[in-house]
């Protein structure tokens, strides 16, 4: 493993200094505090300004932390907040599709179910909020992995649950690329035999995927005879995902 | 069929909304707009009725636009509204003579005390079902008649009209001056048995009959809209809590629901006879469909539930959004022995103690913000338990399942704890927006969009269910502690407190 990169260390030191002070700082002050030449500090500041991590005051020429940095820090959407904001549309999705609805987020490589709406047939069902699902074998997980900046965890063992489960990392990578480009995912009998799930991403105002919403149910109801998910159901899922995203401030797509 | 949808207007305390439903009762479009809360003095709360009317038109058009549909796609519109809020307007110009006085407003405190001095807090309970309190419209009308110059004369001549928000909106929409039985039952001026304005109540409150709207059923076509909604039948009106009861399809005696919002309201269908409460509950009209017999309900109001979470967010700053309270509460395993009784404006049902104020009991050095968050959520559940106990005693029927709705039902931890302390299953229907749904259902029945209440029951589906998982010993100990904490709120206000 190569040693630390000096310029990144220095950039981090500058950001820490700017974050610790209550006031803006000039190039000279920063250079003195860090024991670096002014020219070096200036060069780093220019780069940080370019990516939006620092901002320079128009009148004094002094520097402060930039808005982009705060957006990075707040990219996390509270799961309970997500459930609250998604309540109406997940209900609607269950009513229209007549299947159970789940909303999930990624949690240590698995899908954490943060919301669950029963299949609307008044049969006895158990609330599964808090349950964990395998990311690679669920539609929710595939949507989340496909849209996660870190992507699929390299070298992770892909467990097989049925003869249909995709356990080949290369094949999964291809499925995730497909998922990303078409905007939704499906798994057909990959987690439980006879069961199918379909999911789509929930995005916030910055376009960041903050969760996934999907339906699941028996293959006879969710798929056409050729094992492809029924178009109508896919459109319900995508419409619900879009409606929630809109409420979270995402630009309609 | 061109009339594919039903719209509901929910004219609430903080905002107005319009939701469009399809025939399965699913939401197809929503629009919402907040209005100003006007606080002229401490304890006074007003709304600008003109602003509300403009917002209502905005949200109806907004909801239609979002779906790219027109008014011609709607079979009817129904109205549900914040209850008791009182507006008086000039019949000729259509302009309000004063801002609307909101239900929370306590300016009639003195008047209510004077009325109670002459016959007690329950002097009108037999006829109106209500205890004397500042909420109800009658005393608010009286205040306006006494304090806005010239209005009493005009009101006596029928030139100034009274309405709750349903009446105001129906009048603006159709030009008809009507209200429904549920809203009328919150004025303290209607006789629960005759379902008409009562001369004795009118005389006691000194309100002229000429200014009052005609009392109609909750589900019938009051008139057709004019203006930009030309031709749209206005076909239902229900107070918000009654609308939720209707939307939850509680059509049989013994069926009830609790709506969790800023405050929370438990309503129980008691059938075609009013039940007088011996345990501090209110007797009210549940609904009336066309010329069918009226259905009554018992109501238990909990003043502070969701607003306690808001208090923690806005006044204390422990959380930045209301749903975050669940995240904070889950950082600990239990309340650590801490109980929070939010008697911010006294204790309501079933205690009715205006001398009480809030307490946080059981504090030790061990308590963290996580425990406080738990205590805040648990307060909602324990308060519900007290009202359920009162309701069981009054109705003689044990509640077997609690149907819930409202924003707080998104809080999973609270719903589980609620089931634990009530020791009954708690179920949430698939449409949590039962208030709007109730108004839509009533309007749909009135115009034949749905054939009967059985068709509506078919639409009710369980979306989530929480089953009790607490052992009796833990539950009993918790309830005992809660009641001790409640005792500690009492007798706080002194004679010379203002």
């Amino acid at each position: 493993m190569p040693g630390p990169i000096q310029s990144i260390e220095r950039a981090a030191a500058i950001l820490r200094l700017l974050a610790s002070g209550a006031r803006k700082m000039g190039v000279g002050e920063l250079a003195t505090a860090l024991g670096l030449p002014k020219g070096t500090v200036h060069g780093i500041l220019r780069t940080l300004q370019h990516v939006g991590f620092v901002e320079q005051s128009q009148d004094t020429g002094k520097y402060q932390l930039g808005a982009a940095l705060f957006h990075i820090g707040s990219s996390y959407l509270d799961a309970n907040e997500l459930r609250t904001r998604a309540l109406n549309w997940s209900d609607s999705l269950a009513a229209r599709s007549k299947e159970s609805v789940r909303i999930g987020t990624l949690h240590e490589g698995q899908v954490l179910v943060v919301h669950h709406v029963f299949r609307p047939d008044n049969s006895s069902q158990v609330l599964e909020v808090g349950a964990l699902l395998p990311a690679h074998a669920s539609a929710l997980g595939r949507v989340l992995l496909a849209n996660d900046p870190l992507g699929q965890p390299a070298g992770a063992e892909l467990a097989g649950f049925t003869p249909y489960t995709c356990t080949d990392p290369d094949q999964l990578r291809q499925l995730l690329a497909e998922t990303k480009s078409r905007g939704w995912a499906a798994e057909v009998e990959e987690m439980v035999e006879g069961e199918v799930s379909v999911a789509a991403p929930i995005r916030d105002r910055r376009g960041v995927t903050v969760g996934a919403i999907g339906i699941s149910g028996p293959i006879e109801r969710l798929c056409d005879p050729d094992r492809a998910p029924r178009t109508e159901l896919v459109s319900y899922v995508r419409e619900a995902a879009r409606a929630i995203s809109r409420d979270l401030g995402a630009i309609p797509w | 069929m061109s009339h594919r949808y039903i719209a509901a207007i929910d004219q609430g305390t903080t905002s107005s909304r319009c939701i469009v439903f399809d025939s399965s009762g699913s939401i197809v479009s929503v629009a919402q707009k907040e209005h100003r809360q006007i606080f002229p003095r401490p304890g006074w709360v007003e709304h600008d009725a003109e602003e509300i009317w403009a917002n209502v038109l905005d949200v109806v058009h907004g909801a239609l636009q979002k779906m790219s549909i027109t008014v011609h796609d709607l079979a009817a519109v129904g109205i549900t509204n914040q209850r008791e809020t009182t507006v008086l307007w000039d019949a000729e110009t259509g302009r309000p003579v004063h801002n609307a006085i909101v239900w929370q407003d306590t300016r009639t405190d003195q008047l209510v005390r004077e009325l109670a001095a002459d016959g007690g807090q329950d002097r009108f309970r037999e006829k109106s079902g209500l205890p004397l309190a500042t909420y109800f419209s009658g005393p608010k009308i009286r205040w306006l008649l006494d304090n806005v110059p010239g209005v009493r004369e005009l009101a006596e001549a029928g030139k100034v009209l009274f309405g709750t928000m349903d009446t105001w909106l129906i009048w603006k929409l159709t030009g008809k001056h009507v209200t429904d039985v549920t809203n009328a039952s919150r004025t303290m001026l209607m006789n629960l048995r005759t379902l008409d304005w009562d001369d004795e109540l009118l005389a006691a409150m000194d309100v002229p009959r000429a200014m009052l709207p005609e009392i109609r059923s909750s589900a019938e076509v009051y008139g057709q809209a004019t203006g930009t909604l030309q031709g749209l039948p206005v076909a239902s009106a229900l107070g918000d809590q009654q609308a939720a009861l209707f939307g939850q399809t509680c059509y049989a005696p013994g069926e009830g629901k609790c709506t969790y919002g800023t405050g929370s309201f438990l309503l129980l269908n008691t059938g075609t006879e009013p039940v007088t409460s011996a345990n501090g509950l209110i007797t009210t009209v549940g609904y009336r469909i066309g010329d069918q017999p009226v259905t009554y309900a018992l109501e238990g109001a909990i003043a502070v539930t969701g607003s306690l979470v808001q208090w923690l967010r806005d006044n204390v700053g422990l959380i930045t959004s209301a749903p975050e309270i669940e995240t904070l509460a889950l950082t600990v395993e239990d309340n650590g022995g801490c109980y929070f009784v939010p008697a911010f404006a006294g204790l309501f049902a079933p205690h009715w103690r205006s001398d009480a104020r809030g307490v946080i009991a059981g504090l030790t050095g061990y308590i963290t913000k996580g425990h406080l968050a738990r205590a805040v959520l648990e307060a909602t559940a324990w308060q519900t338990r007290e009202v359920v106990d009162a309701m069981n005693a009054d109705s003689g029927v044990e509640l077997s399942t609690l149907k819930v709705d409202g924003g707080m039902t998104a809080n999973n931890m609270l719903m589980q704890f609620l089931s634990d302390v009530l020791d009954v299953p708690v179920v949430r229907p698939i449409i949590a927006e039962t208030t709007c749904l109730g108004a839509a259902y009533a309007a749909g029945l009135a115009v034949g969009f749905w054939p009967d209440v059985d068709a509506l029951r078919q639409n009710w589906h369980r979306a989530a269910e929480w089953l009790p998982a607490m052992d009796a010993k833990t539950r009993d100990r918790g309830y005992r502690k809660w009641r001790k904490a409640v005792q500690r709120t009492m007798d706080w206000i002194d004679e010379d407190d203002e």
Side-chain angles (χ1 to χ4, degrees), chain B residues 131-163:
Chain B
L132 265 167
T134 57
Y135 295 117
F136 306 113
S137 312
K140 294 185 199 294
I141 302 173
R142 166 73 176 276
W143 187 93
L144 288 163
L145 293 174
D146 288 352
N147 288 277
V148 185
V151 161
R152 180 171 284 280
E153 293 69 35
L154 291 167
E156 278 164 0
K159 289 179 176 167
V160 158
L161 305 176
F162 153 76

Side-chain angles (χ1 to χ4, degrees), chain B residues 214-434:
Chain B
E214 186 188 343
I215 302 174
R216 305 273 284 268
S217 81
S218 319
E220 61 178 280
V221 178
Y222 307 119
Q224 320 285 331
T226 56
T228 55
L229 296 172
Q230 180 77 40
L232 179 64
V234 181
S236 76
L238 289 147
D240 49 14
Q241 295 308 322
Q242 282 86 348
L245 185 77
F246 204 77
Q248 284 270 26
T249 67
C250 296
Y251 304 138
E255 293 183 331
K257 66 87 205 177
C258 193
T259 302
Y260 289 92
T262 314
S264 295
F265 296 85
L266 186 59
L267 269 74
L268 182 77
N269 180 329
T270 59
T272 52
E273 283 299 319
V275 173
T276 305
S277 173
N279 293 284
L281 305 174
I282 283 171
T283 309
T284 197
V285 174
Y287 57 87
R288 181 178 195 178
I289 305 168
D291 52 12
Q292 294 177 26
V294 67
T295 295
Y296 293 93
L298 274 174
E299 172 175 322
I302 309 169
V304 180
T305 52
S307 58
L308 184 57
V309 178
Q310 287 161 9
W311 178 86
L312 202 68
R313 180 192 66 194
D314 301 336
N315 294 28
V316 186
L318 261 190
I319 45 176
T320 57
S321 75
E324 261 181 48
I325 191 163
E326 187 170 357
T327 311
L328 182 57
L330 287 168
T331 60
V332 292
E333 302 225 317
D334 54 33
N335 65 13
C338 176
Y339 290 79
F340 196 149
V341 187
F344 288 172
L347 287 169
F348 291 77
H351 307 285
W352 298 103
R353 290 283 298 256
S354 56
D355 62 336
R357 286 299 179 270
V359 298
I360 303 176
L363 286 179
T364 63
Y366 169 74
I367 299 298
T368 66
K369 56 186 178 180
H371 297 116
L372 277 177
R374 281 232 172 210
V376 159
L377 289 177
E378 290 180 7
T380 291
W382 290 123
Q383 292 184 97
T384 308
R385 168 75 192 262
E386 291 186 316
V387 169
V388 166
D389 284 0
M391 223 155 249
N392 286 345
D394 276 335
S395 68
V397 187
E398 291 280 310
L399 183 85
S400 58
T401 301
L402 184 66
K403 288 180 171 179
V404 295
D405 52 71
M408 282 183 108
T409 58
N411 192 309
N412 216 44
M413 204 203 94
L414 171 60
M415 291 301 111
Q416 181 58 52
F417 191 76
L418 186 61
S419 172
D420 286 343
V421 304
L422 296 178
D423 199 23
V424 298
V426 168
V427 294
R428 179 177 85 77
I430 200 150
I431 304 295
E433 298 285 353
T434 53

Side-chain angles (χ1 to χ4, degrees), chain A residues 8-231:
Chain A
I8 294 180
E9 280 191 325
R10 286 174 173 174
I14 288 171
L15 291 176
R16 271 202 206 98
L17 261 177
L18 288 174
S20 64
R23 57 192 186 84
K24 299 170 185 175
M25 294 176 86
V27 182
E29 287 173 279
L30 285 163
T32 310
L34 296 168
L36 291 171
K38 258 173 97 166
T40 308
V41 172
H42 191 246
I44 294 170
L45 281 169
R46 294 253 323 244
T47 307
L48 288 173
Q49 193 180 1
H50 178 68
V51 297
F53 284 11
V54 305
E55 284 166 10
Q56 188 180 20
S57 163
Q58 295 264 335
D59 36 327
T60 62
K62 293 191 173 186
Y63 291 88
Q64 63 178 342
L65 293 182
L69 214 49
F70 295 102
H71 286 307
I72 288 182
S74 64
S75 69
Y76 167 78
L77 179 71
D78 185 280
N80 293 312
E81 173 123 29
L82 177 59
R83 182 193 314 124
T84 303
R85 306 278 289 265
L87 204 62
N88 278 342
W89 296 115
S90 41
D91 279 354
S92 257
L93 176 57
R96 294 176 83 188
S97 67
K98 298 184 173 56
E99 301 295 346
S100 68
V101 170
R102 284 172 188 74
I103 291 179
T105 57
L106 273 187
H107 179 78
E108 293 172 4
Q110 289 181 292
V111 177
L112 174 68
V113 176
V114 299
H115 186 44
H116 175 196
V117 183
F118 289 170
R119 185 177 59 253
D121 60 6
N122 293 342
S123 63
S124 184
Q125 294 161 72
V126 177
L127 204 61
E128 286 175 18
V129 174
L132 290 167
L133 304 174
H136 70 281
S138 62
L140 289 173
R142 287 198 185 150
V143 165
L144 293 167
L145 286 179
N147 291 284
D148 191 73
L150 299 175
Q152 175 198 353
E157 178 87 10
L158 300 178
F161 302 97
T162 73
Y164 297 103
T165 313
C166 167
T167 53
D168 172 22
D170 289 332
Q171 200 195 336
L172 180 63
R173 207 166 294 123
Q174 202 185 328
L175 282 170
L176 294 183
E178 257 172 46
T179 297
K180 189 159 177 145
S181 65
R182 73 178 178 183
W184 58 278
E187 58 81 14
V188 179
E189 298 194 86
E190 293 191 52
M191 203 162 69
V192 178
E193 275 186 76
E195 294 240 340
V196 171
S197 64
V198 178
I202 299 171
R203 300 201 168 103
D204 70 2
R205 67 193 154 75
R206 290 158 297 139
V208 172
T209 299
V210 291
I213 182 168
I215 57 172
S216 47
I219 186 165
E220 295 79 10
R221 286 207 301 261
L222 265 68
C223 287
D224 291 326
D226 63 357
R227 296 177 63 84
R230 286 169 46 205
T231 322

Side-chain angles (χ1 to χ4, degrees), chain B residues 1-25:
Chain B
M1 189 171 80
S2 68
H3 294 154
R4 292 173 294 162
Y5 304 109
I6 288 271
I9 295 166
D10 177 5
Q11 201 302 295
T13 306
T14 57
S15 71
S16 302
R17 298 191 304 164
C18 177
I19 299 187
V20 179
F21 295 92
D22 66 15
S23 62
S24 74

Side-chain angles (χ1 to χ4, degrees), chain B residues 76-119:
Chain B
V77 64
I79 295 171
T80 176
N81 55 289
Q82 52 169 325
R83 304 178 299 177
E84 298 122 12
T85 296
T86 298
V87 58
L88 264 52
W89 68 92
D90 185 307
E92 254 172 56
T93 64
R95 304 286 292 272
V97 301
H98 190 274
N99 278 334
I101 302 183
V102 180
W103 58 274
Q104 303 128 317
D105 188 296
T106 56
R107 78 185 64 190
T108 55
D109 199 23
Q110 181 62 27
L111 177 61
V112 162
R113 247 179 295 172
E114 282 167 23
L115 287 165
D118 180 16

